[in-house]
Amino acid sequence: MPITPATATHSSSSGTADAILLELVDENGVTIGTAEKLSAHQPPGRLHRAFSVFLFDERGRLLLQQRALGKYHSPGVWSNTCCGHPYPGEAPFAAAARRTFEELGVSPSLLAEAGTVRYNHPDPASGLVEQEYNHLFVGLVQAAPRPDPEEVAQTVFVSPAELAERHAKDTFSAWFMTVLDAARPAVRELTGPSAGW
């Protein structure tokens, strides 16, 4: 397995390397412990906290990202603007803003909570499992993305019609439609009826 930011360790304040830990949660989203990131995704998966971000431009188009080919989980597939996992004790809102900047080089000009969704999605290509209690966020972006190539292969803004065309021919993450459908009421409120979401 290639070493990527997702599988690498990060340094603590003492200078030692620590495994990336996720927050394990119960069915109500209450924290019950931690687990190493990769082990939490091994079948059958352990329910953990995650987040998904949907950012839109001034025309109401959704910013999609194609995950970098070097990622160990769902490489090369298209997905929502940004998704990931808060560190233990980190607020999902803060994690969403942090990872959006780390992956895409932009900070949302607006970011709002859009509910939660719980799902269980196996990834057939990697054999890993997404057992997630996912915090959803919608927002606006006004700057051009500057993606980190180790995280993101490419980005594109799409209208609902363009998304439908792309979804029919390209491979998307296993969780994409689940999180988009769950976020749709907040997306419609943010973008207005003319955007068509």
Side-chain angles (χ1 to χ4, degrees), residues 168-183:
K169 66 182 178 66
D170 292 333
T171 304
F172 276 69
S173 64
W175 61 87
F176 175 74
M177 287 309 299
T178 300
V179 293
L180 176 59
D181 287 344

Side-chain angles (χ1 to χ4, degrees), residues 34-150:
T34 60
E36 190 276 324
K37 184 175 182 178
L38 186 56
S39 71
H41 290 87
Q42 300 286 355
R46 299 176 74 188
L47 185 59
H48 58 275
R49 194 176 309 284
F51 64 83
S52 290
V53 177
F54 296 85
L55 295 183
F56 296 83
D57 67 7
E58 70 285 349
R59 293 168 50 191
R61 298 179 304 167
L62 172 61
L63 176 58
L64 297 177
Q65 69 155 277
Q66 183 183 32
R67 293 165 63 85
L69 292 174
K71 293 181 84 73
Y72 77 97
H73 190 350
S74 302
V77 303
W78 287 91
S79 200
N80 49 293
T81 308
C82 180
C83 54
H85 309 92
Y87 293 129
E90 182 182 27
F93 185 93
R98 173 180 58 79
R99 283 303 291 164
T100 299
F101 184 78
E102 289 171 357
E103 289 188 10
L104 296 163
V106 293
S107 294
S109 56
L110 171 78
L111 192 63
E113 293 182 10
T116 59
V117 63
R118 194 269 195 237
Y119 54 79
N120 175 3
H121 285 302
D123 174 35
S126 68
L128 300 175
V129 178
E130 290 287 3
Q131 279 273 20
E132 294 190 330
Y133 187 93
N134 197 305
H135 297 257
L136 307 171
F137 298 93
V138 299
L140 300 174
V141 62
Q142 294 176 312
R146 299 182 319 276
D148 176 349
E150 291 191 14

Side-chain angles (χ1 to χ4, degrees), residues 11-27:
S11 294
S12 69
S13 57
S14 64
T16 59
D18 298 320
I20 295 177
L21 297 178
L22 308 182
E23 272 189 2
L24 299 178
V25 299
D26 66 14
E27 293 292 337

